[in-house]
Short mmCIF file of all heavy atoms in Angstrom, two decimals:
data_model
loop_
_atom_site.label_atom_id
_atom_site.label_comp_id
_atom_site.label_asym_id
_atom_site.label_seq_id
_atom_site.Cartn_x
_atom_site.Cartn_y
_atom_site.Cartn_z
N MET A 1 0.84 -1.16 0.00
CA MET A 1 0.00 0.00 0.00
C MET A 1 0.89 1.24 0.00
O MET A 1 1.78 1.38 0.81
CB MET A 1 -0.89 -0.03 1.24
CG MET A 1 -1.79 1.13 1.30
SD MET A 1 -2.89 1.29 2.74
CE MET A 1 -2.97 -0.25 3.52
N ASN A 2 0.65 2.13 -0.92
CA ASN A 2 1.46 3.33 -1.05
C ASN A 2 0.57 4.56 -0.82
O ASN A 2 0.04 5.14 -1.75
CB ASN A 2 2.09 3.38 -2.43
CG ASN A 2 3.06 4.54 -2.56
OD1 ASN A 2 3.42 5.16 -1.58
ND2 ASN A 2 3.47 4.80 -3.77
N ARG A 3 0.40 4.93 0.44
CA ARG A 3 -0.41 6.09 0.78
C ARG A 3 0.46 7.34 0.82
O ARG A 3 1.63 7.27 1.16
CB ARG A 3 -1.06 5.92 2.15
CG ARG A 3 -2.08 4.86 2.22
CD ARG A 3 -2.79 5.00 3.52
NE ARG A 3 -2.92 3.70 4.14
CZ ARG A 3 -3.42 3.51 5.34
NH1 ARG A 3 -3.79 4.52 6.07
NH2 ARG A 3 -3.52 2.30 5.82
N LYS A 4 -0.15 8.45 0.50
CA LYS A 4 0.54 9.72 0.60
C LYS A 4 -0.23 10.63 1.54
O LYS A 4 -1.45 10.55 1.63
CB LYS A 4 0.66 10.38 -0.77
CG LYS A 4 1.54 9.61 -1.72
CD LYS A 4 1.67 10.33 -3.02
CE LYS A 4 2.56 9.52 -3.95
NZ LYS A 4 2.70 10.16 -5.24
N ILE A 5 0.48 11.50 2.21
CA ILE A 5 -0.17 12.47 3.07
C ILE A 5 -0.51 13.70 2.25
O ILE A 5 0.36 14.29 1.60
CB ILE A 5 0.74 12.85 4.25
CG1 ILE A 5 0.90 11.65 5.19
CG2 ILE A 5 0.17 14.05 5.00
CD1 ILE A 5 1.75 11.89 6.40
N LYS A 6 -1.79 14.05 2.25
CA LYS A 6 -2.23 15.25 1.55
C LYS A 6 -1.91 16.46 2.43
O LYS A 6 -2.29 16.50 3.59
CB LYS A 6 -3.73 15.19 1.28
CG LYS A 6 -4.23 16.41 0.55
CD LYS A 6 -5.74 16.39 0.41
CE LYS A 6 -6.19 17.70 -0.21
NZ LYS A 6 -7.54 18.04 0.16
N VAL A 7 -1.21 17.39 1.88
CA VAL A 7 -0.80 18.59 2.62
C VAL A 7 -1.99 19.52 2.80
O VAL A 7 -2.73 19.79 1.85
CB VAL A 7 0.35 19.33 1.90
CG1 VAL A 7 0.68 20.64 2.60
CG2 VAL A 7 1.57 18.43 1.81
N GLU A 8 -2.20 19.94 4.02
CA GLU A 8 -3.22 20.94 4.34
C GLU A 8 -2.50 22.20 4.79
O GLU A 8 -1.43 22.14 5.38
CB GLU A 8 -4.13 20.44 5.47
CG GLU A 8 -5.02 19.29 5.10
CD GLU A 8 -6.09 19.69 4.09
OE1 GLU A 8 -6.51 20.86 4.08
OE2 GLU A 8 -6.49 18.83 3.30
N HIS A 9 -3.09 23.33 4.50
CA HIS A 9 -2.50 24.60 4.89
C HIS A 9 -3.26 25.15 6.09
O HIS A 9 -4.49 25.17 6.09
CB HIS A 9 -2.53 25.59 3.73
CG HIS A 9 -1.74 25.11 2.57
ND1 HIS A 9 -0.37 25.22 2.50
CD2 HIS A 9 -2.11 24.49 1.43
CE1 HIS A 9 0.07 24.70 1.38
NE2 HIS A 9 -0.97 24.23 0.71
N GLN A 10 -2.51 25.59 7.07
CA GLN A 10 -3.14 26.16 8.26
C GLN A 10 -3.57 27.59 7.97
O GLN A 10 -2.98 28.26 7.13
CB GLN A 10 -2.19 26.09 9.44
CG GLN A 10 -0.90 26.84 9.22
CD GLN A 10 0.22 26.34 10.09
OE1 GLN A 10 0.48 25.15 10.13
NE2 GLN A 10 0.86 27.26 10.81
N HIS A 11 -4.61 28.02 8.66
CA HIS A 11 -5.15 29.37 8.45
C HIS A 11 -4.31 30.45 9.14
O HIS A 11 -4.27 31.58 8.71
CB HIS A 11 -6.60 29.47 8.91
CG HIS A 11 -7.50 28.51 8.19
ND1 HIS A 11 -7.87 28.69 6.89
CD2 HIS A 11 -8.07 27.35 8.59
CE1 HIS A 11 -8.66 27.68 6.51
NE2 HIS A 11 -8.79 26.87 7.52
N ASP A 12 -3.65 30.07 10.23
CA ASP A 12 -2.76 30.99 10.92
C ASP A 12 -1.68 30.19 11.64
O ASP A 12 -1.74 28.96 11.70
CB ASP A 12 -3.50 31.93 11.87
CG ASP A 12 -4.23 31.21 12.99
OD1 ASP A 12 -3.63 30.32 13.62
OD2 ASP A 12 -5.40 31.53 13.24
N SER A 13 -0.71 30.89 12.18
CA SER A 13 0.44 30.21 12.78
C SER A 13 0.09 29.42 14.04
O SER A 13 0.88 28.57 14.47
CB SER A 13 1.54 31.22 13.09
OG SER A 13 1.07 32.17 14.04
N MET A 14 -1.05 29.65 14.62
CA MET A 14 -1.44 28.95 15.85
C MET A 14 -2.11 27.60 15.57
O MET A 14 -2.45 26.91 16.49
CB MET A 14 -2.37 29.83 16.69
CG MET A 14 -1.75 31.11 17.13
SD MET A 14 -0.25 30.78 18.06
CE MET A 14 0.57 32.33 17.94
N GLN A 15 -2.31 27.26 14.32
CA GLN A 15 -3.01 26.02 13.98
C GLN A 15 -2.08 24.89 13.54
O GLN A 15 -2.55 23.90 13.01
CB GLN A 15 -4.06 26.28 12.90
CG GLN A 15 -5.24 27.07 13.35
CD GLN A 15 -6.28 27.16 12.27
OE1 GLN A 15 -5.98 27.28 11.10
NE2 GLN A 15 -7.53 27.08 12.68
N CYS A 16 -0.78 25.03 13.74
CA CYS A 16 0.14 24.03 13.19
C CYS A 16 -0.11 22.64 13.79
O CYS A 16 -0.15 21.66 13.05
CB CYS A 16 1.59 24.46 13.38
SG CYS A 16 2.08 24.80 15.06
N GLY A 17 -0.28 22.54 15.08
CA GLY A 17 -0.50 21.23 15.70
C GLY A 17 -1.79 20.58 15.25
O GLY A 17 -1.86 19.39 14.95
N ILE A 18 -2.85 21.38 15.19
CA ILE A 18 -4.16 20.86 14.78
C ILE A 18 -4.14 20.46 13.31
O ILE A 18 -4.70 19.43 12.94
CB ILE A 18 -5.24 21.91 15.05
CG1 ILE A 18 -5.31 22.19 16.55
CG2 ILE A 18 -6.60 21.46 14.54
CD1 ILE A 18 -6.10 23.43 16.91
N THR A 19 -3.47 21.24 12.48
CA THR A 19 -3.38 20.91 11.06
C THR A 19 -2.59 19.63 10.84
O THR A 19 -2.97 18.78 10.02
CB THR A 19 -2.77 22.08 10.26
OG1 THR A 19 -3.53 23.26 10.51
CG2 THR A 19 -2.75 21.79 8.78
N CYS A 20 -1.51 19.44 11.58
CA CYS A 20 -0.75 18.19 11.50
C CYS A 20 -1.61 17.01 11.91
O CYS A 20 -1.61 15.96 11.26
CB CYS A 20 0.49 18.26 12.38
SG CYS A 20 1.77 19.34 11.75
N LEU A 21 -2.36 17.18 12.98
CA LEU A 21 -3.26 16.11 13.43
C LEU A 21 -4.31 15.79 12.38
O LEU A 21 -4.62 14.63 12.12
CB LEU A 21 -3.92 16.51 14.76
CG LEU A 21 -4.82 15.48 15.41
CD1 LEU A 21 -4.11 14.16 15.65
CD2 LEU A 21 -5.38 16.03 16.72
N GLN A 22 -4.82 16.82 11.71
CA GLN A 22 -5.80 16.61 10.64
C GLN A 22 -5.20 15.79 9.50
O GLN A 22 -5.84 14.88 8.97
CB GLN A 22 -6.30 17.96 10.12
CG GLN A 22 -7.38 17.83 9.06
CD GLN A 22 -7.76 19.16 8.46
OE1 GLN A 22 -6.89 20.01 8.20
NE2 GLN A 22 -9.04 19.38 8.27
N MET A 23 -3.96 16.10 9.13
CA MET A 23 -3.30 15.35 8.04
C MET A 23 -3.07 13.89 8.44
O MET A 23 -3.25 12.98 7.62
CB MET A 23 -1.99 16.02 7.66
CG MET A 23 -2.17 17.33 6.95
SD MET A 23 -0.64 18.05 6.29
CE MET A 23 0.22 18.51 7.78
N ILE A 24 -2.69 13.65 9.68
CA ILE A 24 -2.47 12.28 10.15
C ILE A 24 -3.78 11.52 10.15
O ILE A 24 -3.84 10.36 9.71
CB ILE A 24 -1.83 12.30 11.56
CG1 ILE A 24 -0.40 12.83 11.45
CG2 ILE A 24 -1.86 10.91 12.18
CD1 ILE A 24 0.21 13.19 12.79
N CYS A 25 -4.86 12.15 10.63
CA CYS A 25 -6.17 11.50 10.62
C CYS A 25 -6.60 11.13 9.20
O CYS A 25 -7.07 10.02 8.95
CB CYS A 25 -7.21 12.41 11.26
SG CYS A 25 -7.05 12.60 13.03
N ARG A 26 -6.42 12.06 8.28
CA ARG A 26 -6.81 11.81 6.89
C ARG A 26 -5.99 10.66 6.30
O ARG A 26 -6.51 9.83 5.56
CB ARG A 26 -6.63 13.08 6.05
CG ARG A 26 -7.14 12.87 4.63
CD ARG A 26 -7.24 14.14 3.85
NE ARG A 26 -8.34 14.95 4.39
CZ ARG A 26 -8.21 16.23 4.72
NH1 ARG A 26 -7.08 16.86 4.55
NH2 ARG A 26 -9.24 16.89 5.19
N TYR A 27 -4.72 10.59 6.64
CA TYR A 27 -3.86 9.50 6.17
C TYR A 27 -4.44 8.14 6.57
O TYR A 27 -4.39 7.18 5.82
CB TYR A 27 -2.46 9.67 6.74
CG TYR A 27 -1.50 8.57 6.35
CD1 TYR A 27 -0.84 8.61 5.13
CD2 TYR A 27 -1.26 7.50 7.20
CE1 TYR A 27 0.04 7.60 4.76
CE2 TYR A 27 -0.38 6.48 6.84
CZ TYR A 27 0.26 6.53 5.63
OH TYR A 27 1.12 5.53 5.27
N PHE A 28 -5.03 8.08 7.76
CA PHE A 28 -5.60 6.83 8.24
C PHE A 28 -7.09 6.71 7.95
O PHE A 28 -7.79 5.89 8.53
CB PHE A 28 -5.35 6.69 9.75
CG PHE A 28 -3.90 6.37 10.05
CD1 PHE A 28 -3.06 7.32 10.56
CD2 PHE A 28 -3.39 5.10 9.80
CE1 PHE A 28 -1.72 7.05 10.83
CE2 PHE A 28 -2.07 4.80 10.07
CZ PHE A 28 -1.24 5.77 10.57
N GLY A 29 -7.60 7.55 7.03
CA GLY A 29 -8.97 7.41 6.55
C GLY A 29 -10.02 8.07 7.42
O GLY A 29 -11.20 7.77 7.30
N ARG A 30 -9.62 8.97 8.27
CA ARG A 30 -10.57 9.66 9.14
C ARG A 30 -10.60 11.14 8.77
O ARG A 30 -9.57 11.78 8.68
CB ARG A 30 -10.17 9.52 10.60
CG ARG A 30 -10.10 8.07 11.05
CD ARG A 30 -9.65 8.02 12.47
NE ARG A 30 -9.45 6.63 12.90
CZ ARG A 30 -9.19 6.32 14.15
NH1 ARG A 30 -9.08 7.25 15.08
NH2 ARG A 30 -9.04 5.06 14.48
N GLU A 31 -11.79 11.66 8.56
CA GLU A 31 -11.95 13.05 8.16
C GLU A 31 -12.47 13.87 9.34
O GLU A 31 -13.51 13.56 9.92
CB GLU A 31 -12.94 13.18 7.01
CG GLU A 31 -12.44 12.63 5.71
CD GLU A 31 -11.40 13.52 5.07
OE1 GLU A 31 -11.43 14.75 5.26
OE2 GLU A 31 -10.53 12.96 4.37
N TYR A 32 -11.72 14.90 9.71
CA TYR A 32 -12.13 15.82 10.77
C TYR A 32 -11.85 17.24 10.31
O TYR A 32 -10.82 17.51 9.71
CB TYR A 32 -11.36 15.56 12.07
CG TYR A 32 -11.59 14.20 12.66
CD1 TYR A 32 -10.67 13.18 12.47
CD2 TYR A 32 -12.73 13.94 13.41
CE1 TYR A 32 -10.88 11.93 13.01
CE2 TYR A 32 -12.95 12.68 13.96
CZ TYR A 32 -12.02 11.69 13.75
OH TYR A 32 -12.23 10.45 14.29
N SER A 33 -12.75 18.14 10.62
CA SER A 33 -12.50 19.55 10.30
C SER A 33 -11.55 20.13 11.33
O SER A 33 -11.40 19.61 12.44
CB SER A 33 -13.83 20.32 10.32
OG SER A 33 -14.32 20.40 11.65
N LEU A 34 -10.89 21.24 10.95
CA LEU A 34 -10.03 21.92 11.90
C LEU A 34 -10.82 22.39 13.11
O LEU A 34 -10.35 22.34 14.24
CB LEU A 34 -9.32 23.11 11.24
CG LEU A 34 -8.21 22.78 10.25
CD1 LEU A 34 -7.67 24.06 9.63
CD2 LEU A 34 -7.09 22.01 10.93
N ASN A 35 -12.05 22.80 12.87
CA ASN A 35 -12.91 23.27 13.96
C ASN A 35 -13.19 22.17 14.97
O ASN A 35 -13.08 22.38 16.18
CB ASN A 35 -14.21 23.85 13.40
CG ASN A 35 -15.02 24.55 14.46
OD1 ASN A 35 -14.47 25.28 15.28
ND2 ASN A 35 -16.31 24.36 14.43
N SER A 36 -13.52 20.98 14.49
CA SER A 36 -13.82 19.88 15.42
C SER A 36 -12.56 19.43 16.17
O SER A 36 -12.62 19.16 17.37
CB SER A 36 -14.47 18.69 14.69
OG SER A 36 -13.58 18.15 13.74
N LEU A 37 -11.42 19.41 15.48
CA LEU A 37 -10.18 19.05 16.16
C LEU A 37 -9.76 20.13 17.16
O LEU A 37 -9.22 19.80 18.22
CB LEU A 37 -9.06 18.82 15.14
CG LEU A 37 -9.23 17.57 14.27
CD1 LEU A 37 -8.15 17.53 13.21
CD2 LEU A 37 -9.21 16.31 15.11
N SER A 38 -10.03 21.38 16.86
CA SER A 38 -9.72 22.46 17.80
C SER A 38 -10.48 22.29 19.10
O SER A 38 -9.92 22.51 20.18
CB SER A 38 -10.09 23.82 17.19
OG SER A 38 -9.26 24.13 16.11
N LYS A 39 -11.73 21.88 19.00
CA LYS A 39 -12.53 21.67 20.21
C LYS A 39 -12.00 20.49 21.02
O LYS A 39 -11.92 20.56 22.24
CB LYS A 39 -13.99 21.45 19.83
CG LYS A 39 -14.66 22.68 19.30
CD LYS A 39 -16.07 22.40 18.86
CE LYS A 39 -16.68 23.65 18.23
NZ LYS A 39 -18.02 23.40 17.69
N ILE A 40 -11.63 19.42 20.35
CA ILE A 40 -11.13 18.23 21.04
C ILE A 40 -9.79 18.54 21.71
O ILE A 40 -9.50 18.05 22.80
CB ILE A 40 -10.98 17.05 20.07
CG1 ILE A 40 -12.35 16.61 19.54
CG2 ILE A 40 -10.28 15.86 20.73
CD1 ILE A 40 -12.27 15.59 18.42
N CYS A 41 -8.97 19.36 21.07
CA CYS A 41 -7.62 19.70 21.58
C CYS A 41 -7.65 20.83 22.60
O CYS A 41 -6.61 21.17 23.16
CB CYS A 41 -6.71 20.14 20.44
SG CYS A 41 -6.25 18.86 19.29
N PHE A 42 -8.81 21.45 22.81
CA PHE A 42 -8.91 22.60 23.70
C PHE A 42 -7.99 23.74 23.24
O PHE A 42 -7.26 24.33 24.03
CB PHE A 42 -8.65 22.24 25.16
CG PHE A 42 -9.52 21.13 25.67
CD1 PHE A 42 -9.03 19.86 25.83
CD2 PHE A 42 -10.86 21.38 25.94
CE1 PHE A 42 -9.85 18.84 26.29
CE2 PHE A 42 -11.69 20.36 26.39
CZ PHE A 42 -11.19 19.09 26.57
N ALA A 43 -8.02 24.01 21.95
CA ALA A 43 -7.17 25.06 21.36
C ALA A 43 -7.64 26.43 21.82
O ALA A 43 -8.82 26.67 22.04
CB ALA A 43 -7.20 24.97 19.85
N THR A 44 -6.68 27.32 21.98
CA THR A 44 -6.96 28.71 22.32
C THR A 44 -6.41 29.61 21.21
O THR A 44 -5.86 29.11 20.22
CB THR A 44 -6.27 29.10 23.66
OG1 THR A 44 -4.85 29.10 23.46
CG2 THR A 44 -6.65 28.13 24.77
N THR A 45 -6.49 30.90 21.40
CA THR A 45 -5.94 31.82 20.41
C THR A 45 -4.43 31.75 20.38
O THR A 45 -3.81 32.23 19.42
CB THR A 45 -6.37 33.27 20.71
OG1 THR A 45 -5.98 33.60 22.04
CG2 THR A 45 -7.87 33.43 20.54
N GLU A 46 -3.83 31.12 21.39
CA GLU A 46 -2.37 30.95 21.43
C GLU A 46 -1.93 29.60 20.86
O GLU A 46 -0.76 29.28 20.86
CB GLU A 46 -1.88 31.10 22.85
CG GLU A 46 -2.11 32.48 23.41
CD GLU A 46 -1.64 32.62 24.84
OE1 GLU A 46 -1.14 31.64 25.42
OE2 GLU A 46 -1.79 33.71 25.39
N GLY A 47 -2.88 28.80 20.40
CA GLY A 47 -2.54 27.49 19.85
C GLY A 47 -3.03 26.38 20.74
O GLY A 47 -3.98 26.52 21.49
N VAL A 48 -2.34 25.25 20.64
CA VAL A 48 -2.71 24.07 21.42
C VAL A 48 -1.46 23.52 22.09
O VAL A 48 -0.37 23.58 21.54
CB VAL A 48 -3.40 23.01 20.51
CG1 VAL A 48 -2.47 22.47 19.47
CG2 VAL A 48 -4.00 21.89 21.33
N SER A 49 -1.64 22.98 23.26
CA SER A 49 -0.51 22.41 23.99
C SER A 49 -0.30 20.96 23.59
O SER A 49 -1.18 20.32 23.01
CB SER A 49 -0.76 22.48 25.50
OG SER A 49 -1.82 21.62 25.85
N MET A 50 0.86 20.43 23.92
CA MET A 50 1.11 19.01 23.68
C MET A 50 0.14 18.15 24.49
O MET A 50 -0.29 17.10 24.03
CB MET A 50 2.55 18.64 24.02
CG MET A 50 3.56 19.08 22.98
SD MET A 50 3.23 18.39 21.34
CE MET A 50 3.48 16.66 21.63
N LEU A 51 -0.22 18.62 25.67
CA LEU A 51 -1.20 17.91 26.49
C LEU A 51 -2.55 17.86 25.76
O LEU A 51 -3.21 16.83 25.73
CB LEU A 51 -1.35 18.58 27.85
CG LEU A 51 -2.36 17.95 28.81
CD1 LEU A 51 -1.94 16.51 29.15
CD2 LEU A 51 -2.49 18.78 30.07
N GLY A 52 -2.92 18.97 25.12
CA GLY A 52 -4.18 19.01 24.36
C GLY A 52 -4.15 18.07 23.17
O GLY A 52 -5.13 17.37 22.90
N ILE A 53 -3.05 18.03 22.45
CA ILE A 53 -2.93 17.11 21.31
C ILE A 53 -2.92 15.67 21.81
O ILE A 53 -3.58 14.79 21.23
CB ILE A 53 -1.69 17.43 20.47
CG1 ILE A 53 -1.89 18.76 19.74
CG2 ILE A 53 -1.41 16.31 19.47
CD1 ILE A 53 -0.72 19.21 18.92
N ASN A 54 -2.21 15.41 22.88
CA ASN A 54 -2.14 14.07 23.46
C ASN A 54 -3.54 13.58 23.85
O ASN A 54 -3.90 12.43 23.58
CB ASN A 54 -1.20 14.07 24.66
CG ASN A 54 -0.73 12.71 25.04
OD1 ASN A 54 -0.62 11.82 24.20
ND2 ASN A 54 -0.43 12.54 26.31
N GLU A 55 -4.32 14.45 24.46
CA GLU A 55 -5.67 14.09 24.85
C GLU A 55 -6.55 13.85 23.62
O GLU A 55 -7.33 12.90 23.58
CB GLU A 55 -6.27 15.20 25.73
CG GLU A 55 -7.66 14.91 26.22
CD GLU A 55 -7.74 13.74 27.19
OE1 GLU A 55 -6.70 13.25 27.67
OE2 GLU A 55 -8.88 13.30 27.46
N ALA A 56 -6.41 14.68 22.60
CA ALA A 56 -7.20 14.51 21.38
C ALA A 56 -6.87 13.19 20.70
O ALA A 56 -7.77 12.49 20.24
CB ALA A 56 -6.93 15.67 20.42
N VAL A 57 -5.60 12.85 20.64
CA VAL A 57 -5.18 11.59 20.02
C VAL A 57 -5.81 10.41 20.75
O VAL A 57 -6.30 9.47 20.14
CB VAL A 57 -3.63 11.49 19.99
CG1 VAL A 57 -3.17 10.11 19.62
CG2 VAL A 57 -3.07 12.50 19.02
N ARG A 58 -5.82 10.48 22.06
CA ARG A 58 -6.44 9.42 22.87
C ARG A 58 -7.94 9.33 22.59
O ARG A 58 -8.48 8.24 22.36
CB ARG A 58 -6.21 9.68 24.36
CG ARG A 58 -6.67 8.54 25.25
CD ARG A 58 -6.62 8.92 26.71
NE ARG A 58 -7.52 10.03 27.05
CZ ARG A 58 -8.85 9.93 27.16
NH1 ARG A 58 -9.44 8.79 26.95
NH2 ARG A 58 -9.56 10.99 27.48
N ILE A 59 -8.62 10.49 22.54
CA ILE A 59 -10.06 10.53 22.27
C ILE A 59 -10.36 9.95 20.88
O ILE A 59 -11.35 9.24 20.69
CB ILE A 59 -10.59 11.96 22.39
CG1 ILE A 59 -10.59 12.39 23.86
CG2 ILE A 59 -11.98 12.10 21.79
CD1 ILE A 59 -10.85 13.88 24.07
N LEU A 60 -9.51 10.25 19.90
CA LEU A 60 -9.72 9.78 18.53
C LEU A 60 -9.36 8.30 18.34
O LEU A 60 -9.59 7.75 17.28
CB LEU A 60 -8.91 10.64 17.56
CG LEU A 60 -9.32 12.11 17.49
CD1 LEU A 60 -8.33 12.91 16.66
CD2 LEU A 60 -10.73 12.26 16.93
N GLY A 61 -8.78 7.70 19.36
CA GLY A 61 -8.51 6.26 19.29
C GLY A 61 -7.15 5.88 18.74
O GLY A 61 -6.90 4.72 18.46
N PHE A 62 -6.27 6.86 18.59
CA PHE A 62 -4.91 6.56 18.16
C PHE A 62 -4.05 6.23 19.38
O PHE A 62 -4.37 6.61 20.50
CB PHE A 62 -4.29 7.76 17.43
CG PHE A 62 -4.88 8.02 16.08
CD1 PHE A 62 -5.77 9.07 15.89
CD2 PHE A 62 -4.53 7.25 14.99
CE1 PHE A 62 -6.30 9.34 14.65
CE2 PHE A 62 -5.07 7.50 13.74
CZ PHE A 62 -5.96 8.54 13.57
N HIS A 63 -2.95 5.54 19.14
CA HIS A 63 -1.99 5.25 20.19
C HIS A 63 -0.69 5.91 19.81
O HIS A 63 -0.19 5.72 18.71
CB HIS A 63 -1.80 3.75 20.35
CG HIS A 63 -3.07 3.04 20.68
ND1 HIS A 63 -3.60 3.02 21.96
CD2 HIS A 63 -3.93 2.35 19.92
CE1 HIS A 63 -4.72 2.34 21.95
NE2 HIS A 63 -4.95 1.92 20.71
N TRP A 64 -0.12 6.70 20.71
CA TRP A 64 1.15 7.36 20.42
C TRP A 64 1.91 7.57 21.69
O TRP A 64 1.39 7.45 22.79
CB TRP A 64 0.93 8.64 19.64
CG TRP A 64 0.62 9.89 20.41
CD1 TRP A 64 0.11 10.01 21.67
CD2 TRP A 64 0.80 11.22 19.95
NE1 TRP A 64 -0.05 11.31 22.00
CE2 TRP A 64 0.38 12.09 20.99
CE3 TRP A 64 1.29 11.76 18.78
CZ2 TRP A 64 0.43 13.47 20.86
CZ3 TRP A 64 1.33 13.14 18.68
CH2 TRP A 64 0.91 13.96 19.68
N ILE A 65 3.16 7.87 21.53
CA ILE A 65 4.04 8.13 22.66
C ILE A 65 4.60 9.52 22.49
O ILE A 65 5.17 9.85 21.45
CB ILE A 65 5.18 7.09 22.73
CG1 ILE A 65 4.61 5.70 22.94
CG2 ILE A 65 6.15 7.46 23.85
CD1 ILE A 65 5.66 4.61 22.83
N SER A 66 4.43 10.35 23.50
CA SER A 66 4.99 11.70 23.48
C SER A 66 6.41 11.61 24.05
O SER A 66 6.62 10.98 25.09
CB SER A 66 4.18 12.64 24.34
OG SER A 66 2.86 12.71 23.86
N THR A 67 7.34 12.23 23.38
CA THR A 67 8.70 12.28 23.88
C THR A 67 9.23 13.70 23.84
O THR A 67 8.63 14.56 23.22
CB THR A 67 9.66 11.38 23.05
OG1 THR A 67 9.72 11.89 21.71
CG2 THR A 67 9.20 9.95 23.04
N ARG A 68 10.33 13.89 24.49
CA ARG A 68 10.96 15.21 24.50
C ARG A 68 12.38 15.06 23.97
O ARG A 68 13.12 14.19 24.40
CB ARG A 68 10.97 15.76 25.91
CG ARG A 68 11.62 17.10 26.03
CD ARG A 68 11.60 17.57 27.45
NE ARG A 68 12.30 18.81 27.55
CZ ARG A 68 12.37 19.52 28.63
NH1 ARG A 68 11.78 19.09 29.72
NH2 ARG A 68 13.04 20.64 28.64
N SER A 69 12.73 15.92 23.04
CA SER A 69 14.11 15.87 22.53
C SER A 69 14.86 17.07 23.11
O SER A 69 14.29 18.10 23.42
CB SER A 69 14.13 15.91 21.01
OG SER A 69 13.58 17.12 20.56
N ASN A 70 16.14 16.91 23.21
CA ASN A 70 16.97 17.99 23.76
C ASN A 70 17.67 18.73 22.66
O ASN A 70 17.99 18.38 21.66
CB ASN A 70 17.99 17.44 24.75
CG ASN A 70 17.28 16.92 25.98
OD1 ASN A 70 16.26 17.44 26.38
ND2 ASN A 70 17.83 15.89 26.59
#
């Protein structure tokens, strides 16, 4: 299987995390609007935290590991 990730463009600089999550969801056959993902991630005008993305991923049924690089 040769899937490609369709590139989505964010509307502003604070949507990078949510837009990445949207592209990952689409890659796995799940369609979500930026608005619905923003609500799940608890996004604010300052963006979304890693905790918010981590929680959204769990709610959406994905499994991932958050790490920190130095």
